[in-house]
Amino acid sequence: MCCMYGEYIKFGSVTSAQRAQKILEANGIASKVGKNPSPKQTEGCGYALFVHSDAANAVRMLSARGIASKGTGKVNVR
Amino acid sequence: MIYLDNAATTCPKPHAVTNAMVNAVLYNCANPGRSGHDMSIKAGELVYSAREKASELFGLSNAQGVVFTKNCTESLNIALQGLLQNGDHVVTSTLEHNSVIRVLESLKTAGKISYDMASVYADTLSTVSSFESHIRRDTKMLVCTLASNVFGTVLPIAQLSQLAQNYGLIFVLDASQGAMTIDMRKLNIDVLCLPGHKGLYGPMGTGLMLVNSTVKPMPLMYGGTGSYSQDRAQPKECPDAYESGTLNVPGIAGLCAGIDFVKKTGVDNIAAHERRLVSYAEHELKKFSGVKTYASECPEKTVLSFNVGAMHSEQVAALLNENGIAVRAGYHCAYTAHSFYGTERTGTIRMSPGVFSTPSDIEILLKNVYKIAKGSK
């Protein structure tokens, strides 16, 4: 379902991801909340915000509003 | 049944609350913040929407600061036990509910903190002076109720908040009672504790703790949060830090609908309606020989306490119940408030209307109190 989205931003909790989603939405960036598709062992369970592209730009936007993310990744479409 | 016990829990609940709860069980019955399937995400959206609505209603800038609890008592326990440290001193009021007093007393008995209770007067200046007179060098927190659950006396929150700010104290507000608009930003409230099932018209089993970024209470309960699972330590992030275990999604759905109802109806409209009914009851009861009403100095009250002759309040409430009228009698979990008003012997009968109460409900109450008063002589 998240395959239409090319990249994702990782968050510690679902609430953080949801808050980030609202901010991106207010800035015209569509996204979708889902589970972190490839968490590292050190990250445990977590959620991600899937965006079409340019996750780095979205991270900058969120960071400017004091919202920390846990990194980005690219959706692996097989 | 004429229900005049809304200060205990509002009844009836709006239909939208019931519908939202049923829908949550039928269509959103998945665990939010745990799984990634559609229904879990949908349940998570519902929960987040409730956080946003609560933060908007109470002027909290960050919806992540909204914590769901099972009631206001739990919220107050987290705020007080989680923020107070060894050697701290607290100032509170004589009108507090046991949800504040017992927490403070237990911390005091454990040798951790000390506290003083300030008197509440009809004029704001005297009340604020009373609070100020108890502030010491080691005072860390000012915690008080918005309004007395027994007598309806409204505390001067804006001035007390300013006092707390002047002395660099944490300000915790128990908004279980009283009907007024509360803006955490404007009032500089650090922690706002509320029940979901009273003025917000949500279901029982729901409560809220709204935490400003200025403070970070220690959690009282630890466990699974669906986040940072690799870490043995409790997450520090709000709300996860305080929401271990599965959330009460149907309850939160109902609370969310309750908040919608309150916003749509208007906090000020609800308050005005309740005040009108209380004022009418007070005006009429004062005419009855042998009936004593309390807190006449407070026109903003939305509950009314009274007594009939020398009868114990529980006797009067039992007679009213026999005639289909629901009120609360006794000490209302706030014995210090009764000590303050001198009603320790009999307690008081408390009538508390809600948004669905009508003038005819009050008429029926008045007729019955009149009969009881006449018979008590």
Side-chain angles (χ1 to χ4, degrees):
Chain A
M1 172 206 315
C2 289
C3 293
M4 57 186 289
Y5 296 94
E7 299 181 29
Y8 60 91
I9 310 161
K10 297 188 273 188
F11 293 91
S13 72
V14 70
T15 317
S16 297
Q18 288 168 322
R19 185 180 168 211
Q21 184 183 35
K22 298 284 174 183
I23 288 167
L24 293 185
E25 190 181 286
N27 285 278
I29 298 175
S31 62
K32 185 170 176 60
V33 175
K35 284 302 287 272
N36 179 354
S38 54
K40 291 176 192 160
Q41 200 180 337
T42 52
E43 290 172 339
C45 296
Y47 279 79
L49 207 49
F50 292 84
V51 292
H52 293 287
S53 61
D54 206 0
N57 177 45
V59 167
R60 276 192 297 276
M61 192 178 284
L62 293 170
S63 179
R65 288 162 191 272
I67 296 172
S69 53
K70 306 277 178 194
T72 59
K74 286 195 191 298
V75 176
N76 184 14
V77 186
R78 276 179 285 183
Chain B
M1 159 86 56
I2 306 288
Y3 187 82
L4 293 169
D5 195 16
N6 288 274
T9 194
T10 45
C11 176
K13 305 297 180 191
H15 290 307
V17 170
T18 316
N19 292 342
M21 292 179 76
V22 170
N23 285 338
V25 174
L26 289 175
Y27 308 114
N28 286 315
C29 202
N31 207 329
R34 300 297 192 272
S35 310
H37 57 78
D38 287 356
M39 198 154 68
S40 170
I41 297 292
K42 216 173 137 195
E45 283 168 2
L46 190 157
V47 170
Y48 192 75
S49 158
R51 290 191 209 281
E52 280 192 315
K53 284 175 183 174
S55 65
E56 278 163 23
L57 184 62
F58 296 109
L60 181 70
S61 53
N62 181 359
Q64 272 191 274
V66 176
V67 176
F68 292 112
T69 59
K70 65 177 181 289
N71 47 46
C72 189
T73 299
E74 186 186 347
S75 305
L76 284 161
N77 267 269
I78 300 171
L80 302 185
Q81 295 196 56
L83 285 168
L84 293 170
Q85 292 170 338
N86 284 347
D88 286 340
H89 174 255
V90 181
V91 182
T92 189
S93 88
T94 47
L95 298 182
E96 300 307 309
H97 189 272
N98 279 341
S99 55
V100 168
I101 297 294
R102 282 186 175 164
V103 184
L104 295 178
E105 186 63 23
S106 108
L107 291 170
K108 184 187 168 187
T109 306
K112 289 183 180 170
I113 67 147
S114 54
Y115 72 94
D116 282 301
M117 288 190 278
S119 299
V120 179
Y121 300 99
D123 71 298
T124 297
L125 206 63
S126 301
T127 302
V128 175
S129 296
S130 175
F131 271 82
E132 188 165 23
S133 71
H134 290 294
I135 295 175
R136 315 187 316 207
R137 200 181 282 179
D138 56 350
T139 305
K140 184 175 180 183
M141 179 188 286
L142 196 159
V143 52
C144 68
T145 184
L146 174 64
S148 163
N149 67 311
V150 188
F151 300 100
T153 321
V154 178
L155 275 72
I157 296 309
Q159 290 82 355
L160 291 175
S161 149
Q162 186 59 54
L163 181 71
Q165 224 191 348
N166 292 349
Y167 283 89
L169 309 179
I170 296 170
F171 184 48
V172 178
L173 183 65
D174 169 9
S176 296
Q177 305 291 337
M180 64 178 267
T181 305
I182 300 168
D183 189 310
M184 288 183 75
R185 263 174 304 212
K186 284 185 188 155
L187 290 171
N188 287 305
I189 298 166
D190 293 300
V191 188
L192 177 65
C193 301
L194 303 125
H197 64 102
K198 293 184 179 179
L200 295 176
Y201 286 83
M204 284 174 272
T206 59
L208 289 163
M209 177 178 75
L210 279 71
V211 193
N212 218 322
S213 55
T214 48
V215 291
K216 214 160 206 176
M218 287 291 292
L220 289 192
M221 198 167 74
Y222 299 83
T225 58
S227 55
Y228 304 97
S229 306
Q230 82 294 351
D231 202 340
R232 290 188 187 192
Q234 184 77 358
K236 289 186 170 55
E237 234 174 81
C238 197
D240 295 35
Y242 313 104
E243 290 182 350
S244 289
T246 298
L247 286 172
N248 174 9
V249 176
I252 292 168
L255 174 56
C256 192
I259 293 172
D260 281 339
F261 169 80
V262 168
K263 278 185 179 170
K264 199 174 157 193
T265 313
V267 175
D268 293 339
N269 292 335
I270 295 172
H273 174 70
E274 292 176 358
R275 269 187 217 122
R276 265 196 301 274
L277 295 177
V278 162
S279 168
Y280 173 54
E282 184 178 30
H283 183 261
E284 294 301 309
L285 283 174
K286 276 181 173 174
K287 295 178 186 169
F288 298 174
S289 160
V291 174
K292 182 174 169 52
T293 61
Y294 298 90
S296 56
E297 73 282 2
C298 182
E300 308 107 306
K301 61 183 176 289
T302 50
V303 305
L304 180 67
S305 256
F306 62 95
N307 270 315
V308 179
M311 288 176 78
H312 197 283
S313 59
E314 293 287 11
Q315 280 180 285
V316 178
L319 289 170
L320 289 172
N321 181 53
E322 281 175 19
N323 289 289
I325 301 168
V327 292
R328 180 163 175 197
Y331 300 101
H332 315 89
C333 298
Y335 195 79
T336 55
H338 284 280
S339 302
F340 190 66
Y341 275 89
T343 50
E344 304 101 311
R345 200 184 64 77
T346 58
T348 58
I349 304 120
R350 179 189 69 188
M351 67 76 94
S352 50
V355 72
F356 299 114
S357 304
T358 63
S360 90
D361 291 342
I362 306 298
E363 291 288 356
I364 294 167
L365 171 78
L366 292 169
K367 273 181 199 159
N368 281 275
V369 174
Y370 182 73
K371 266 194 244 167
I372 297 167
K374 225 173 144 187
S376 76
K377 285 179 190 164

